[in-house]
Amino acid sequence: MLFDPYKRRINYLRISVTDRCNLRCRYCMPEEGVPLISHQDVLSYEEILRIVRVFGSEGISKIRLTGGEPLIRKGIVDFISRLSQIETVKDLSLTTNGILLKDLARDLKDAGLKRINISLDSLRRERFHQITRRDDFERVWGGIEEAISLELFPIKINMVAIKGVNDDEIESFARLTLHLPLTVRYIEYMPSGNGDSWKETDLLTIPQIQHLLENLGPLIPLSPDRWDGPARRFRIDGSIGEIGFIGAISSHFCSDCNRLRLTPDGKIRTCLFSDQEIDLKEIMRKGGSDDDLKERLLTALEAKPERHHINSRLFKKCQRNMSAIGG
Ligand code: SAM
């Protein structure tokens, strides 16, 4: 088992397989995109598999693939199939914007993917277009329906709540859980991503979101699932789905943090909001051994900060865009 200096057990690696994305969500990226990591600097699937094997032998058993948009990377299904065969990988999941999901869901399931998170910030076609700069709501919804029919449970719908953008849809999202087997998770808007676009006044905190759900009656708390991480789980009386809250800013979930991140170009990041990076690519490409990789893993654990500093004077926005870290 792996522990950091703050006695948190670290068993989770979030792997960004690409910094490319097929959406241009306004809060994440400018319309023209961001400078991309060159292809030769992106880790090969072989390199990622090696890292997963080595880290798995030390106690990293939970893997999530993200990006950028992971489903646009060529060969992703075959890669997932190889990943799912690694014995130490006990939990394998993927975060996607859902654009390509309808076409790929069956293959992903056959490849061994057990569950999926789909990002969706509006249930209205025009607003979806406005936020993502692409008119693709129907495709995403088709992907969600496909995931339900294939029972890729739990299917988590991640909604980033932003004041004046989608706060009038908070209740509609929760209502989905009344008749669909979905877990709707509200995520506080964080200061990462598109330039200086984040303003504290755009933030809708989890307590404010809970207030907007009062019409639906009391939320019944559910006990944390062992793979939950920082989400708090609830359900509405009589619902078949669940509701989750992820309050990176208001509820300071750092004490429950169990994760490291791997960037597309092979750097471990110890916290979304820390620019400290530990390079694995260079060491692998210079012929480093598995023990060298293990040593870097321990260095990363030692360096993991106790908490982020979003709410304090010490806060500095991170240098990389979210798409190049893996949200
Ligand atoms: N393309 C995939 C997707 O859309 O899920 C994976 C990458 S995306 C960066 C991962 C998640 O980060 C999405 O749910 C997105 O909404 C979220 N995200 C991006 N910028 C954010 C921000 N500033 N605050 C909160 N969440 C953010």
Side-chain angles (χ1 to χ4, degrees), residues 56-67:
S57 70
E58 298 298 290
I60 300 288
S61 55
K62 176 175 174 171
I63 302 288
R64 170 174 299 282
L65 303 180
T66 180

Side-chain angles (χ1 to χ4, degrees), residues 1-4 6-12 59-61 226-227 255-259 301 304:
M1 282 197 208
L2 294 167
F3 289 91
D4 74 1
Y6 306 99
K7 301 196 168 50
R8 292 173 295 199
R9 185 178 164 201
I10 309 299
N11 60 359
Y12 179 10
I60 300 288
S61 55
R226 77 188 174 116
W227 298 115
S255 59
D256 294 329
C257 187
N258 58 351
R259 69 189 57 170
L301 287 182
K304 193 166 166 61

Side-chain angles (χ1 to χ4, degrees), residues 121-227:
D121 301 328
S122 177
L123 298 170
R124 301 182 193 168
R125 179 181 160 189
E126 274 168 34
R127 183 175 286 167
F128 177 94
H129 188 174
Q130 161 75 14
I131 296 172
T132 64
R133 300 192 178 97
R134 301 287 185 271
D135 188 9
D136 277 330
F137 174 76
E138 263 89 24
R139 286 180 78 178
V140 176
W141 193 256
I144 293 172
E145 287 177 330
E146 188 68 10
I148 294 174
S149 74
L150 291 169
E151 301 186 354
L152 274 169
F153 298 135
I155 301 167
K156 298 182 181 170
I157 305 294
N158 287 343
M159 184 233 201
V160 179
I162 307 180
K163 238 181 227 169
V165 172
N166 56 5
D167 44 351
D168 53 348
E169 291 191 69
I170 297 293
E171 192 178 314
S172 318
F173 269 87
R175 284 189 182 280
L176 293 177
T177 68
L178 291 172
H179 56 91
L180 291 173
L182 297 174
T183 297
V184 166
R185 306 198 313 168
Y186 299 96
I187 297 178
E188 284 177 348
Y189 179 34
M190 297 180 286
S192 58
N194 191 7
D196 293 322
S197 62
W198 188 88
K199 295 196 289 312
E200 201 170 342
T201 48
D202 296 335
L203 174 68
L204 201 60
T205 63
I206 297 301
Q208 288 167 333
I209 292 171
Q210 287 173 326
H211 182 65
L212 290 169
L213 292 175
E214 275 173 1
N215 281 339
L216 297 170
L219 295 179
I220 303 159
L222 300 170
S223 50
D225 175 302
R226 77 188 174 116
W227 298 115

Side-chain angles (χ1 to χ4, degrees), residues 6 47 72 118 120 125 131 158 185 222 232 243 245 262 270 297 316 320:
Y6 306 99
E47 287 169 325
I72 65 176
I118 303 160
L120 182 65
R125 179 181 160 189
I131 296 172
N158 287 343
R185 306 198 313 168
L222 300 170
R232 306 269 173 268
I243 288 176
F245 297 107
L262 180 65
T270 54
L297 170 62
K316 264 194 1 258
R320 277 186 192 245

